[in-house]
Amino acid sequence: MLIQPQPPRAFLTALMLLLPSMAAAESLGELHLPTVLSATRLKQPPAEIPGSMTVLNRELIQASGARSVPELLRLVPGMHIGYRRGNQANVNYHGTNVTEARRLQVLVDGRSVYRSGLATVDWAELALNIEDIDRIEVFRGPNTAAYGANALMGVINIITRLPLETQGTSLKYTHGKRGVRDWYARHGGGDMQHSWRLSLASQQDDGFDHDEDGNDYRDSLRSSRMNLRHLWNLTPNQSLDWQLSASETSRQHPYDYSTYLDHEDGNSLVDRAINAHQPDADVRGRDFATQGLWKLDFNPDHQLQVQAHAQHLERLRDWRVCDSPVVFSDRLRQLNSLSQLAARRVSSYLDKPNRRETLDQYIDRYLSSAGETYTPQMQELANQLLAETTQYRGSEPACWDINENIRETRFQVEVQDSLRLSPRLRLLSGGSYRYDRVDSETYFSGALDNTIVQLFSNLEYRPHRRWLFQAGGMYEDDHLIGGSFSPRLATHFFIAPQHSLRAVYAEAVRSPDMYENNADWRYQVRNLSGPVSGPVTLYSHAQGPGDLDQERMRSRELGYHGSFHQLGLQVDVRVFHERITGMNSEPLKIDNFLPNNDSQIRFKGVETELDWQATRADRIRLTHSRIDYDATSRYDQRLTAHHSGSVAWLHQWPHGVNTSLLYYGADQLNERRFERIDSRIEKKLNFRDDTSLTFALVWQYRLDNEALTWDENLYDSPSHLYLSAGLNF
């Protein structure tokens, strides 16, 4: 039975205060309506896209005071932000598994940063600075028809500023509580033919203050980034846009190797051995990428572009672990290969102080509840292992070095053609080829390659000024998975030129990535010490099934988009019903690695977004999402908030003073309430036409008393403060 929580009170209060004031809006004249790119790959005004699009523009990004992209995405209705630890954010649209974010395609200037090896987006390691972002376009809903698998739930396209918009030199430093120490430096130059920008940045903070037991929490982040962009207008109708980016990241990570035999007193030989080696398992990350975009305008109705990119990512983590010598037992290894659950239960059986069941009864009960059969072969191995394990309790541990290093490389080339066939008919078509390689002796016992070929198209037909029809689709052939086709159909009826009602039907897929489907996860043992001799092999081993199917979604959407020019108001409403089948929702740990296609989830609800330029000095923005869901997996039942949303008020005062006040709320994120008020005040001092000094103070205050996503994510104070100073010349 699903809990139906109530909307956060502060959110309802903000709505009641702000909505009545709409009647007093003054006429602002003609409103400039930007086009968006991330829906169908065609340039379209918001009223014509086949779905809902949230655009976070430069003004809103700056006013938010956010230091990271995940924090910016709190402004997107239906987007749920979770934290595994202070340096590891997870971004999910509508929810699903709280620790994994596998179902969003994320692009930076059209280049995918979705990691093919580990099936995720590593937000901390992105070689991207907030100061370089022009806008973020978020397509809310399945978009496999335009961007292929992994765009199952939506697309986040981060678009950086053009070099001509960032001429001169900019220096910025940010200092604040919780160890915030950021700096940013940028210099740009050139002219209308050649323009370029180089930016360097560093970001650091201390993460959460302590865990639920009051212990210091090692989850700080240190990151350095470099970005170079050069735009060359080769001819009046031809351009070449080239970028180079790199980042290096260090993230604290606690010792998280789970010993096979537990030691509750904390002072066992194993515990003392672990402490003697100071086995903090920090993560070092490196990210390198280069990309180029060539555009050719044959005429105003025909454009061709070719985009290519190459990227290499590294996540390096090595540390020393200690455990009972029994982890090298042949019996344990054989039992674990038959049932990981049975192998774990032999260990937990020893920790039961008052056992009323035999070992066989104990294991059989757990395996039956999990749908497994306790076979005679398992029984024999389990009882032999129990006798062997008992003699090792309290013995001297074995210690050795392990690593979780992984390197991923990608090359991709894409061709796209946009052609207006007639005043009523427009066609976009293209294709791409992608090569992925992942290399890890731990996760894959070596290297694994994959190739993906995509063919896509979108047809736009306007038979009448009040009607617009769109049909699009993508065929994708994944060498490791197979082929799939994702269609989308959309109809728009225009009440007025910038007011449309839409109906959208879409099918989408998500391909299981290498980690889920093809893992060969085993730890290599090096520098072994302790009471073990001869060749050794660690018992733990996780093997991907190799035959996982694609996850599949069917989505139905009704919506409205309206732009009230004279009021400076834009409204978007999305009513949706989404069903995903064949989901892989199981945890993917080495001792519990059971990926399958057995789960499904259904979402239905409504999302509303309102952006109002109330006066020339005031901008008010409201978002709200209400979602009902029904999930078969308990892991997918924890991150979806029934009610969530945001309120923002931006005001320009005289004498170069700007302020912003923002509220974020969600009634349950991993079963925890989240409410926060953010405020920012900025003062700009202009010395000459091209020289200015800007000070900005950001204050964040949590209105709830909950941990953030997990029990251990706690701060000493609900208040967070940081100050920035920026010089432009």
Side-chain angles (χ1 to χ4, degrees):
M1 179 177 179
L2 297 177
I3 300 175
Q4 301 293 328
Q6 298 302 313
R9 294 182 180 179
F11 182 65
L12 293 179
T13 302
L15 285 174
M16 294 174 64
L17 290 173
L18 290 172
L19 289 177
S21 64
M22 290 176 58
E26 62 179 90
S27 175
L28 299 178
E30 195 71 13
L31 181 68
H32 173 65
L33 293 176
T35 57
V36 294
L37 303 171
S38 306
T40 63
R41 298 172 178 257
L42 287 167
K43 290 184 179 180
Q44 296 172 304
E48 297 182 7
I49 65 174
S52 287
M53 178 77 75
T54 294
V55 179
L56 308 179
N57 63 10
R58 182 67 194 157
E59 179 190 32
L60 190 60
I61 292 171
Q62 186 170 337
S64 72
R67 298 174 54 245
S68 68
V69 173
E71 286 298 310
L72 282 172
L73 295 174
R74 293 191 186 278
L75 292 162
V76 179
M79 198 68 75
H80 297 147
I81 313 303
Y83 282 87
R84 183 62 189 91
R85 51 186 60 86
N87 53 35
Q88 185 180 345
N90 290 320
V91 178
N92 282 276
Y93 181 60
H94 287 179
T96 68
N97 195 312
V98 66
T99 60
E100 306 295 340
R102 306 182 182 124
R103 300 176 177 94
L104 280 174
Q105 179 62 275
V106 180
L107 311 170
V108 177
D109 290 327
R111 173 177 63 90
S112 173
V113 295
Y114 185 92
R115 301 187 64 167
S116 55
L118 293 180
T120 187
V121 175
D122 201 327
W123 296 97
E125 294 182 9
L126 286 185
L128 178 71
N129 306 312
I130 290 286
E131 293 80 4
D132 291 335
I133 298 176
D134 177 66
R135 67 189 186 277
I136 302 176
E137 297 181 358
V138 182
F139 186 88
R140 295 181 280 119
N143 206 356
T144 307
Y147 293 97
N150 304 329
L152 185 79
M153 302 288 287
V155 175
I156 300 171
N157 191 9
I158 304 168
I159 301 169
T160 62
R161 305 171 73 184
L162 293 173
L164 272 177
E165 299 174 355
T166 54
Q167 299 291 282
T169 302
S170 179
L171 304 173
K172 181 181 177 182
Y173 180 72
T174 302
H175 184 98
K177 294 177 61 178
R178 300 174 182 167
V180 171
R181 304 287 189 276
D182 304 340
W183 63 262
Y184 170 80
R186 181 192 71 222
H187 183 72
D191 51 32
M192 294 298 294
Q193 183 176 9
H194 286 278
S195 56
W196 60 275
R197 176 185 67 240
L198 173 65
S199 59
L200 304 172
S202 175
Q203 186 179 55
Q204 67 180 60
D205 59 62
D206 292 340
F208 294 104
D209 293 324
H210 60 85
D211 61 20
E212 71 274 26
D213 297 322
N215 301 316
D216 183 46
Y217 199 177
R218 296 190 71 260
D219 64 341
S220 70
L221 170 69
R222 305 290 185 272
S223 180
S224 300
R225 308 183 185 106
M226 183 278 291
N227 287 270
L228 175 64
R229 183 174 183 182
H230 177 254
L231 181 58
W232 183 12
N233 290 311
L234 303 167
T235 64
N237 67 333
Q238 189 177 182
S239 66
L240 178 63
D241 189 352
W242 174 78
Q243 299 185 48
L244 175 68
S245 62
S247 72
E248 186 170 10
T249 304
S250 176
R251 289 182 287 177
Q252 288 185 335
H253 200 292
Y255 180 92
D256 62 353
Y257 174 85
S258 298
T259 57
Y260 182 73
L261 294 181
D262 294 329
H263 302 271
E264 298 180 359
D265 59 6
N267 193 36
S268 67
L269 291 173
V270 172
D271 295 317
R272 291 200 296 270
I274 291 173
N275 295 331
H277 289 289
Q278 299 179 348
D280 295 324
D282 295 349
V283 179
R284 307 178 309 282
R286 301 189 184 99
D287 186 337
F288 309 93
T290 183
Q291 64 188 93
L293 174 63
W294 174 73
K295 290 184 178 181
L296 174 63
D297 294 321
F298 295 104
N299 55 57
D301 294 327
H302 190 192
Q303 182 189 74
L304 175 69
Q305 70 176 46
V306 179
Q307 178 167 303
H309 74 257
Q311 61 189 40
H312 179 76
L313 305 95
E314 298 180 354
R315 180 189 288 176
L316 308 176
R317 184 180 181 221
D318 49 78
W319 72 109
R320 191 165 181 82
V321 301
C322 297
D323 205 343
S324 167
V326 77
V327 297
F328 300 109
S329 165
D330 288 335
R331 295 185 182 91
L332 177 55
R333 185 164 57 254
Q334 293 176 46
L335 180 60
N336 187 73
S337 67
L338 296 173
S339 170
Q340 292 180 331
L341 180 57
R344 294 198 307 273
R345 287 303 160 189
V346 174
S347 171
S348 61
Y349 182 75
L350 289 170
D351 295 324
K352 303 297 179 184
N354 299 309
R355 298 190 294 270
R356 298 181 179 179
E357 299 173 292
T358 65
L359 175 65
D360 290 337
Q361 291 172 333
Y362 178 73
I363 296 178
D364 183 59
R365 175 164 57 88
Y366 276 97
L367 263 62
S368 297
S369 64
E372 293 187 37
T373 301
Y374 190 39
T375 66
Q377 184 182 6
M378 292 182 191
Q379 294 179 28
E380 181 179 359
L381 287 170
N383 284 280
Q384 292 175 352
L385 179 61
L386 179 64
E388 184 178 0
T389 301
T390 303
Q391 69 181 1
Y392 282 117
R393 291 183 65 82
S395 70
E396 180 183 352
C399 298
W400 64 96
D401 296 335
I402 62 173
N403 75 75
E404 291 182 355
N405 298 338
I406 184 169
R407 294 170 173 84
E408 301 178 45
T409 303
R410 173 180 296 164
F411 302 98
Q412 182 169 3
V413 60
E414 178 182 277
V415 180
Q416 177 178 304
D417 183 82
S418 176
L419 176 63
R420 184 175 293 278
L421 300 168
S422 73
R424 296 185 176 184
L425 190 63
R426 191 162 58 144
L427 174 67
L428 179 136
S429 57
S432 72
Y433 171 84
R434 192 178 96 196
Y435 168 78
D436 288 326
R437 181 181 179 86
V438 59
D439 191 349
S440 173
E441 70 168 8
T442 299
Y443 292 117
F444 298 98
S445 296
L448 182 66
D449 300 327
N450 192 24
T451 57
I452 297 174
V453 177
Q454 297 177 333
L455 297 173
F456 53 87
S457 181
N458 190 81
L459 185 68
E460 182 184 274
Y461 176 55
R462 189 186 295 272
H464 185 271
R465 63 183 179 85
R466 291 195 180 274
W467 289 98
L468 174 66
F469 299 97
Q470 298 183 66
M474 174 174 287
Y475 175 77
E476 184 172 60
D477 182 66
D478 186 311
H479 175 71
L480 294 176
I481 304 299
S484 62
F485 178 70
S486 301
R488 176 171 59 201
L489 300 172
T491 301
H492 287 72
F493 175 74
F494 290 86
I495 306 169
Q498 293 299 329
H499 295 261
S500 68
L501 300 173
R502 65 180 180 270
V504 184
Y505 172 79
E507 296 182 6
V509 299
R510 186 189 77 86
S511 297
D513 277 293
M514 300 178 182
Y515 173 58
E516 302 168 74
N517 200 37
N518 305 99
D520 186 7
W521 187 357
R522 65 185 82 213
Y523 290 111
Q524 304 298 321
V525 177
R526 292 186 174 89
N527 300 322
L528 178 64
S529 64
V532 181
S533 60
V536 293
T537 302
L538 194 63
Y539 83 96
S540 52
H541 176 222
Q543 184 74 49
D547 60 354
L548 284 178
D549 198 3
Q550 292 174 317
E551 299 179 350
R552 300 184 181 275
M553 173 191 274
R554 291 188 174 183
S555 171
R556 297 166 179 84
E557 172 182 335
L558 297 175
Y560 161 77
H561 185 90
S563 297
F564 299 85
H565 290 189
Q566 299 302 316
L567 293 176
L569 176 66
Q570 293 192 60
V571 178
D572 188 90
V573 179
R574 178 177 189 245
V575 181
F576 56 89
H577 185 283
E578 302 165 341
R579 184 167 180 249
I580 310 175
T581 58
M583 291 178 65
N584 176 21
S585 300
E586 295 303 304
L588 302 179
K589 302 178 180 180
I590 191 168
D591 60 350
N592 189 18
F593 194 88
L594 298 170
N596 56 55
N597 294 113
D598 296 344
S599 300
Q600 59 180 288
I601 192 168
R602 175 189 54 82
F603 295 110
K604 63 179 181 178
V606 58
E607 294 170 352
T608 306
E609 186 173 48
L610 181 151
D611 201 329
W612 180 31
Q613 191 69 45
T615 71
R616 296 188 185 277
D618 292 280
R619 179 181 177 185
I620 295 171
R621 189 173 181 277
L622 306 174
T623 70
H624 179 256
S625 174
R626 174 186 171 125
I627 303 174
D628 293 312
Y629 68 95
D630 184 13
T632 60
S633 170
R634 61 188 177 94
Y635 298 107
D636 289 328
Q637 298 174 0
R638 305 174 66 180
L639 191 62
T640 302
H642 187 59
H643 287 280
S644 62
S646 66
V647 181
W649 172 41
L650 283 60
H651 184 75
Q652 298 177 0
W653 303 85
H655 310 297
V657 176
N658 297 320
T659 60
S660 56
L661 183 65
L662 301 95
Y663 165 83
Y664 305 102
D667 54 12
Q668 54 177 10
L669 290 176
N670 202 21
E671 304 171 353
R672 293 168 177 81
R673 185 168 59 96
F674 174 82
E675 290 189 88
R676 195 178 78 196
I677 290 284
D678 290 9
S679 61
R680 182 178 183 270
I681 181 169
E682 173 190 283
K683 170 62 177 176
K684 187 174 183 179
L685 303 171
N686 293 307
F687 300 108
R688 299 195 308 266
D689 291 341
D690 58 351
T691 303
S692 64
L693 180 63
T694 303
F695 296 96
L697 179 66
V698 176
W699 178 48
Q700 300 176 343
Y701 189 83
R702 289 284 297 276
L703 301 175
D704 59 81
N705 58 355
E706 304 275 356
L708 188 55
T709 312
W710 295 100
D711 288 338
E712 61 267 28
N713 295 342
L714 294 168
Y715 289 119
D716 291 328
S717 168
S719 180
H720 183 31
L721 196 72
Y722 48 93
L723 175 67
S724 298
L727 177 64
N728 295 278
F729 58 93

